[in-house]
Amino acid sequence: MDPASLLLLLLLMFASTINAQFPVTHCGSTGNFAANSTYQTTLTTLLSSISTTNSLSLSYGFFNASAAISGASQTLYVFGLCRGDLTAVSCRTCLNVLASDIRRLCPLQKEAFLYTDNCVIRYSDTSFLGVVATEPSYVVRTSYEVSSPDTYDAVLRKLLNALWAEAAGGGSLRKYASGNESAGPDMIYALVQCTPDLTKQQCSDCLMIGVQTIRDCCAKYTGGRFMVPSCLILYETNYQFFDPVSQPLPPPPSPPPGMLGLVQS
Ligand SMILES: *[C@@H]1O[C@H](CO)[C@@H](O)[C@H](O)[C@H]1NC(C)=O
Ligand SMILES: *[C@@H]1O[C@H](CO)[C@@H](O)[C@H](O)[C@H]1NC(C)=O
Ligand SMILES: *[C@@H]1O[C@H](CO)[C@@H](O)[C@H](O)[C@H]1NC(C)=O
């Protein structure tokens, strides 16, 4: 089966909350590099820079690095995204774990993509910044149905629509929103996020697919996940699985002199 078109729907029996097997691993199908090649050494160097990169970008929840592969007219891109409620320290820890997982699980693949609940890592020799990617997708739900599906579905839709708009409007550093809303006896907790390189419209497009997918697969169940390279949606019932106070956004570095004229008011 073509991994790019694989839609994975795991039904987590006997689980009231999502507790999937992580990391979810997608080793690319675009070919392999040779062991000990410059491709491999460049990849190793880029991934190890997660440990040394300054914490400013990690406090926005992303890691972004690229380098030319010596001897080849190729550039390698590495991108990491952490959930918007993680601190820079937790983000670095999460990405470091995935960086070592990705080398172990996809040892020679030219591109790969791994998710956990808290962070995502991806590398490729094709730039994926500014491109909406909705494959491969990872969709899971709990096996427990909610008691009043119609009320629940309406409230979940309202909550996701509000978070969707807030995340898409989040600016170029972080596109993240979380919140909760009560549905009868239940409290729904949800978070949505896009990679920050997307435009508002691109983020909105990705989340539109996510909200529709969640409504089709999961909205009668107590928890669900929609995770694709460009965006994610997570929700749970009566379980506040995120830090409701999201990390404050530190000010971006001041633009170099001469660039100020380009800033739009
Ligand atoms: C790659 O390098 C390692 C360590 O230097 C060596 O053990 C291994 O045989 C090399 N593999 C290839 C395919 O050259
Ligand atoms: C969200 O949950 C908190 C407690 O976790 C509660 O105090 C608050 O009223 C809830 N907000 C909404 C909109 O239901
Ligand atoms: C990621 O890095 C590239 C250059 O390597 C840069 O052009 C781009 O703006 C960066 N993206 C973000 C979201 O910082």
Side-chain angles (χ1 to χ4, degrees):
M1 183 184 280
D2 176 7
S5 63
L6 183 70
L7 177 77
L8 185 60
L9 178 61
L10 298 179
L11 306 184
L12 301 166
M13 310 308 287
F14 315 115
S16 60
T17 59
I18 306 269
N19 184 19
Q21 284 300 311
F22 286 123
V24 177
T25 305
H26 291 278
C27 301
S29 53
T30 56
N32 290 358
F33 54 80
N36 299 346
S37 60
T38 53
Y39 200 108
Q40 178 169 331
T41 50
T42 306
L43 179 59
T44 304
T45 305
L46 286 175
L47 290 173
S48 64
S49 69
I50 292 169
S51 299
T52 53
T53 191
N54 77 61
S55 61
L56 186 62
S57 85
L58 292 181
S59 63
Y60 303 139
F62 74 87
F63 169 80
N64 175 22
S66 60
I69 301 166
S70 82
S73 53
Q74 278 170 305
T75 303
L76 193 54
Y77 302 87
V78 176
F79 184 86
L81 179 72
C82 294
R83 247 170 55 176
D85 57 332
L86 259 56
T87 62
V89 170
S90 309
C91 181
R92 194 192 301 274
T93 304
C94 189
L95 290 177
N96 264 330
V97 170
L98 276 194
S100 89
D101 287 346
I102 209 168
R103 296 297 300 121
R104 183 170 48 83
L105 296 169
C106 307
L108 296 174
Q109 278 81 1
K110 280 191 169 173
E111 55 181 50
F113 180 43
L114 262 67
Y115 318 86
T116 67
D117 242 3
N118 291 332
C119 68
V120 165
I121 199 165
R122 182 178 186 195
Y123 71 82
S124 174
D125 57 353
T126 306
S127 174
F128 40 76
L129 290 167
V131 177
V132 180
T134 55
E135 298 284 350
S137 65
Y138 173 67
V139 180
V140 294
R141 62 165 168 80
T142 63
S143 57
Y144 283 87
E145 294 194 25
V146 298
S147 46
S148 333
D150 291 343
T151 311
Y152 194 93
D153 181 56
V155 174
L156 180 62
R157 185 168 27 160
K158 177 178 170 223
L159 177 59
L160 292 182
N161 283 346
L163 296 178
W164 168 10
E166 185 185 338
S172 60
L173 296 176
R174 185 167 62 193
K175 289 187 166 61
Y176 169 79
S178 66
N180 57 293
E181 198 71 52
S182 64
D186 294 324
M187 185 67 82
I188 309 177
Y189 294 91
L191 74 78
V192 311
Q193 188 164 8
C194 291
T195 62
D197 54 300
L198 298 187
T199 64
K200 181 177 182 178
Q201 185 63 49
Q202 289 175 319
C203 174
S204 188
D205 292 346
C206 189
L207 290 174
M208 181 174 68
I209 294 170
V211 169
Q212 191 57 52
T213 304
I214 288 280
R215 293 199 64 216
D216 291 345
C217 75
C218 311
K220 290 183 168 51
Y221 296 86
T222 58
R225 298 274 186 278
F226 167 84
M227 302 176 96
V228 297
S230 289
C231 68
L232 55 90
I233 298 177
L234 288 69
Y235 79 91
E236 297 274 2
T237 304
N238 301 328
Y239 171 40
Q240 185 161 309
F241 60 99
F242 51 81
D243 182 347
V245 184
S246 76
Q247 291 300 310
L249 217 47
S254 25
M259 294 284 288
L260 288 169
L262 298 174
V263 176
Q264 292 180 344
S265 57

